[in-house]
Structure formats: structure tokens, C-alpha cells
Amino acid sequence: MAKIVGGITTSHVPAIGRAIAQNLQQNGYWKPFFDGFAPVQKWLDEVKPDVAVVIYNDHGLNFFLDKLPTFAVGAAAQYCNADEGWGIPTLPPFAGDAALSWQLINSLVADEFDITTCQEMLVDHAFSLPMKLLWPQHETPPVRTIPVCINTVQYPLPSATRCYKLGQAIGRAIAKLPEELKVVIIGTGGLSHQLDGERAGFINKEFDLRFMDSLAANPQWVTQYSNEQLVEYTGTQGVELLMWVATRAALSGEVTELHRNYHIPISNTAAGLMLFDNR
């Protein structure tokens, strides 16, 4: 049977791609951020997962405001990265597993989640850059991938409670897979940041750290807040922490937090990273 070996949550911003392209990993501005990934990279090299379920939010590359599903799952043989206009290099296609994706999709629909199924799917920096951060020595990550998109762009957004339930359903779906697979759940987005409006540049370190603390022992803590409250506490784009909520919910109740890093700011964003062992 398939087994979720762990979960990884990390921030994503397009500027990371430019820093990688320009070899700025040891630059004073970027070093605390990039150095935080070494323990996670080591863990991945030791555990060697077969499949990565990547929970992220699309920024208009694959979905736009005229057609924006609440939840979407990729069911393709590969996923291409494309130019988003940020001036960062595009990456080679990521390997998918259509048959495995369909098993996940069928299980989620049976669990009463209305999923948009994508048999062709572009993936943007929220998907591609975390994969490059986690497997920096590989041109393409040595895992098959299943993209799971959560809308955090246009209201109405799914609540933290709904995203938690989605994560639980993903965990149940993976547990039912007959194949002997090691699966890692990767959630990307956040933490607190706001890129426009009167509060542009807003970061809430206190809330970020409290949220990170809660994920290990009390992962439902954040579900007490509405999305409007989350935007108030974390900024307009900080609501991307919903991907972290779904990732943690996919794991078992008892997890071991192996690593965390928190650094501010990178490109006006509070950058967080956590690694949970689910073995």
C-alpha cells in the first residue's frame, strides 16, 4: 500500500527563480533563505519518495479570473512550466502519473469534493520553484508529481476548514492506493505578505510563528478563522497558508517536526519552511 512519508511546506515568490538563475544563493540577502533548505534536501535524499502531491495556488498561468476552479487536480503524463512574465527561466517538464492522478480524483469525488480535472495543465512558479528548491541538483525532480490547485486568488475562497477536510481526503485517498509507493505532500504559499494596496509590504511575524507552532500539535487551530480574518492577520496574499493547512491535514495525527526555517523578508514576503516526518 502507498504511504505518506512526510509533508513539506514552503513559501514561493518569483524572485526566488531569479536568485537561482543568477547564483545568488550565498548572497547576504538570500543566504538565510536558501540555507534553510539543506536539512530538507538531505531528508529527501534519504527517504527517496516516489511521488509528490504538490498543493499550490495558480497565479493566472493555467487559470484566470474568468475560469477559476476552487479545487483542481492534474491528470497528465507531464506538466510544463511556461513564461509568466517575471523574467525567470522556464524549467523542463515535470513527470506526472495520469493513472495515479485518476485514482486520487475518483477518491476525492467519492468523498464529495467537486474536482476540476485537468488532462493538460501548465504549472507556474508556485509549483516549479519549490521543486527546484527541494531538488536543486536535479534538472527535473526524481519523483512523479500530482498538482493540486486551491483557489486563493478570487473570492469566494474555500475556508481553512474546507481545505483541512480536503487534506484529510487526500490522505485517505493515498492510503487506499494498492501500489507500494512513498508519497510526500508538498504545500506551497504564504506566509504573511501583501503586494498591493494600502498595506503593501505588510508582514505579521507573530501570527506566522504561532501558525507554524500550531501545525505540529494542533493543526486545526487556524480553522477558527474566516478567510477575511486570515487576510486581516496575514495580508491579501498571506491567505495562501491554506495550502499548508491542506498539507498538514493529509498527514496522520502524530507527526514529527524535523525542521523549520523562518526568514523575513524575501521580496516583501515572510518566508517559511517546515518538514514533518509521517513515518
Side-chain angles (χ1 to χ4, degrees):
M1 295 179 62
K3 169 68 175 175
I4 298 176
V5 293
I8 300 167
T9 55
T10 179
S11 304
H12 63 241
V13 295
I16 296 168
R18 188 174 295 110
I20 293 172
Q22 297 176 358
N23 295 313
L24 298 178
Q25 292 90 333
Q26 296 305 305
N27 172 277
Y29 180 85
W30 286 102
K31 182 175 171 59
F33 170 76
F34 281 99
D35 284 357
F37 284 86
V40 185
Q41 294 161 0
K42 183 175 183 292
W43 181 85
L44 287 166
D45 287 341
E46 293 172 351
V47 175
K48 292 181 172 55
D50 304 297
V51 176
V53 176
V54 185
I55 304 174
Y56 72 108
N57 60 303
D58 182 82
H59 296 78
L61 180 62
N62 197 74
F63 305 114
F64 198 60
L65 302 182
D66 57 339
K67 299 179 184 67
L68 214 168
T70 302
F71 302 122
V73 177
Q78 67 175 19
Y79 303 97
C80 292
N81 180 219
D83 183 10
E84 301 173 61
W86 298 108
I88 57 178
T90 56
L91 298 176
F94 299 88
D97 187 324
L100 201 60
S101 290
W102 280 112
Q103 291 180 71
L104 175 61
I105 290 164
N106 286 332
S107 181
L108 291 176
V109 172
D111 225 342
E112 300 186 345
F113 280 88
D114 299 320
I115 300 297
T116 297
T117 303
C118 304
Q119 297 183 62
E120 293 183 1
M121 193 175 193
L122 295 173
V123 291
D124 70 9
H125 70 273
F127 181 103
S128 62
L129 294 183
M131 303 295 276
K132 193 64 178 176
L133 289 166
L134 297 174
W135 286 279
Q137 304 305 320
H138 296 264
E139 184 178 15
T140 56
V143 292
R144 288 166 282 160
T145 60
I146 301 177
V148 177
C149 269
I150 296 178
N151 169 33
T152 61
V153 174
Q154 177 167 267
Y155 273 71
L157 310 181
S159 67
T161 297
R162 187 62 174 160
C163 292
Y164 192 88
K165 292 178 178 178
L166 174 69
Q168 290 179 311
I170 290 172
R172 289 192 295 268
I174 292 171
K176 291 187 292 187
L177 295 174
E179 298 95 332
E180 293 288 337
L181 296 171
K182 290 183 289 186
V183 181
V184 63
I185 312 295
I186 301 172
T188 93
L191 290 172
S192 64
H193 63 299
Q194 179 153 327
L195 304 180
D196 49 14
E198 294 181 358
R199 292 201 305 167
F202 174 79
I203 288 176
N204 188 343
K205 179 179 179 180
E206 181 181 358
F207 188 90
D208 288 341
L209 296 180
R210 189 173 181 187
F211 170 65
M212 293 174 77
D213 287 341
S214 75
L215 286 182
N218 183 23
Q220 295 192 62
W221 172 79
V222 75
T223 63
Q224 67 184 293
Y225 298 108
S226 68
N227 283 327
E228 289 74 20
Q229 289 173 313
L230 290 177
V231 168
E232 177 184 353
Y233 291 134
T234 69
T236 309
Q237 286 77 33
V239 75
E240 290 175 348
L241 62 78
L242 293 176
M243 271 65 73
W244 292 45
V245 174
T247 297
R248 176 59 181 87
L251 310 181
S252 64
E254 296 293 331
V255 299
T256 302
E257 181 188 331
L258 296 183
H259 176 69
R260 75 163 69 180
N261 187 46
Y262 183 82
H263 176 62
I264 53 177
I266 57 165
S267 189
N268 289 326
T269 301
L273 170 68
M274 299 188 79
L275 168 63
F276 299 101
D277 194 295
N278 197 49
R279 294 173 294 170

